[in-house]
Amino acid sequence: MGGHFVVAGGGQAAVQAIDTARRAGFDGRITLIGDEPFLPYQRPPLSKKYLAGEIERERLSLKPESFYPSRDVEVLTGIRVVELGLGRRTVETDDGRSLAYDRLLLATGGRPRRIDVPGAELDGVHYLRSIADVDSLAPRLGPGARLVIVGAGYIGLEVAAVAAVRGVHVTVLEAAERVMARVVCPETAALFAARHAAAGVDVRCGATVTAFRGAERIGAVETADGDLVTCDVALVAIGIVPNVELATQAGLDCTNGILVDGFARTAAEGVSAAGDCTRHRHPIVGAEIRLESVHNALEQGKAAGFDAAADPRAFEDVPWFWSDQYELKLQIAGVALDYDSVVVRGDGAEQGFAAYYLAGGHVIAVDAVNRPRDFLAAKKLVARHARVPRELLADADADLSAYGV
Ligand SMILES: Cc1cc2nc3c(=O)[nH]c(=O)nc-3n(C[C@H](O)[C@H](O)[C@H](O)COP(=O)(O)OP(=O)(O)OC[C@H]3O[C@@H](n4cnc5c(N)ncnc54)[C@H](O)[C@@H]3O)c2cc1C
């Protein structure tokens, strides 16, 4: 299978797609176009070990530099795709190139959602998505610094943990009634909120930010109920917006992500999309969702790669995700959508913790904290929509793997 495979975007999904395409026998030309100045890299360590200064930038690379020439992949870094010509089968770049494609993959990811309040442009207000973002934030997190984090999602809380360990005074302002409200149940949220409190992080839920105050640099953050939290630096971590503009301009369906099928195909002939920029009807979740996870980027990237090599294989794995905060390793299998009850096992300390989400008695998701075996068993349970007696789920010593095999 040959032709020209052009990949717009240079992240996790992009690299997986080209790797899979080559392994599956695609022997045409491949061009990867990424607008960042680096070779494709992993983002999860950005808010964990890279921010903590525990790993070097080079360790973030998804593949060694030699991977690209060895697979005959032309990589254009620091170059942005600015327009698609679906009829002509071309992409236009911001340095004036026009590349003709036979297959096109949109793997453009997402960008941080900006906060729209007075003072948002002050020096010292940061976002976190890229290496460049961490390189500008990290030097401001010395011991004794005062950091306000807007948003208690994964990224906000991971940064809170790294900063607190470094001796930074951290306040987290979250508009919802609990941390990680979009993704976990109250029981899991309470466990994490308690751990942050124990580390000295001031987590305030129900706190909506209305302004950043300061002359040129930020000096305080104001909330709707009139609180003023003084600080030297702020991080806004209120989610991402999928990068769908190219696809939207080209007329594709892009409501909350570029719509793709199980083979990562869009409605346009020869055009796939993968990763954070997509939404799809997930066969196991049973709903149309947009996932922001490494696992999803890998699965969809693989599907797009196989499809480019004319060996189509649908992705249909149970979604999963992880987050590291202090010594707590959270692993989530499935998606906790429309659950009607939660069963908790473990004490959150020596026994670890797991929260099983049930819908009509079927296991649809789990949050496992320092219980990797529960996580692995739950992936199988979720794949099978298994029914497991509640007493068994609640018993920290019970082995659940038999229910999934
Ligand atoms: C700080 C942080 C921590 C995370 N932690 C975890 C975690 O613990 N576990 C987990 O599962 N997931 C985590 N994630 C999410 C995970 O990293 C993403 O889901 C994954 O990177 C998505 O890959 P992607 O290829 O879709 O997009 P990206 O990795 O965002 O790559 C897209 C690339 O395309 C570029 N691009 C965009 N538009 C264009 C254009 N027009 N032309 C050229 N290039 C373009 C972008 O600049 C970017 O470099 C984390 C994300 C962040 C930011």
Side-chain angles (χ1 to χ4, degrees), residues 152-402:
Y154 297 119
I155 292 177
L157 292 183
E158 288 179 357
V159 172
V162 169
V165 168
R166 271 197 192 187
V168 174
H169 302 290
V170 186
T171 305
V172 178
L173 302 175
E174 167 58 56
E177 288 310 314
R178 62 174 192 270
V179 303
M180 299 189 283
R182 207 165 52 92
V183 280
V184 302
C185 60
E187 291 83 349
T188 306
L191 180 83
F192 279 84
R195 182 64 186 90
H196 281 279
V201 175
D202 181 2
V203 180
R204 303 186 193 175
C205 292
T208 302
V209 169
T210 48
F212 295 102
R213 300 289 178 206
E216 279 171 22
R217 267 198 71 78
I218 187 169
V221 182
E222 200 174 293
T223 66
D225 45 15
D227 282 351
L228 208 57
V229 185
T230 52
C231 65
D232 314 299
V233 56
L235 172 71
V236 179
I238 54 173
I240 67 162
V241 178
N243 290 326
V244 298
E245 288 73 11
L246 289 172
T248 304
Q249 282 160 15
L252 295 175
D253 178 343
C254 292
T255 314
N256 187 29
I258 307 164
L259 181 63
V260 295
D261 66 13
F263 298 96
R265 294 173 185 152
T266 71
E269 181 68 27
V271 182
S272 309
D276 286 10
C277 66
T278 69
R279 83 173 199 281
H280 64 284
R281 172 156 286 278
H282 198 289
I284 294 172
V285 179
E288 227 174 60
I289 46 174
R290 188 174 63 75
L291 294 167
E292 297 165 13
S293 70
V294 166
H295 174 251
N296 179 62
L298 295 177
E299 287 299 297
Q300 293 187 325
K302 270 186 219 162
F306 278 123
D307 206 30
D311 179 15
R313 299 184 199 186
F315 60 90
E316 51 194 22
D317 211 10
V318 173
W320 68 270
F321 185 85
W322 80 94
S323 175
D324 300 335
Q325 298 168 37
Y326 312 100
E327 73 290 352
L328 302 179
K329 188 161 186 71
L330 170 65
Q331 294 171 295
I332 298 180
V335 177
L337 268 183
D338 301 330
Y339 59 94
D340 49 40
S341 62
V342 171
V343 178
V344 168
R345 61 160 41 189
D347 60 2
E350 289 95 68
Q351 291 182 319
F353 168 97
Y356 290 86
Y357 297 79
L358 305 180
H362 300 272
V363 178
I364 59 160
V366 70
D367 305 331
V369 181
N370 298 347
R371 287 190 69 100
R373 286 186 57 164
D374 277 316
F375 168 70
L376 291 175
K379 277 210 304 197
K380 296 178 190 163
L381 299 180
V382 172
R384 289 164 179 251
H385 284 260
R387 277 177 172 278
V388 184
R390 295 175 72 94
E391 320 78 72
L392 211 59
L393 290 175
D395 178 355
D397 298 320
D399 180 7
L400 297 179
S401 49

Side-chain angles (χ1 to χ4, degrees), residues 8-14 33-36 41 43-48 79-82 107-110 128-129 155 158 243 246 274-277 292-295 297 320-324:
Q12 194 95 47
I33 309 167
D35 61 359
E36 292 190 69
Y41 61 89
R43 293 180 200 280
L46 295 181
S47 48
K48 307 176 182 79
I79 293 178
R80 196 170 171 72
V81 175
V82 288
T108 46
L128 205 173
R129 178 78 188 174
I155 292 177
E158 288 179 357
N243 290 326
L246 289 172
D276 286 10
C277 66
E292 297 165 13
S293 70
V294 166
H295 174 251
W320 68 270
F321 185 85
W322 80 94
S323 175
D324 300 335

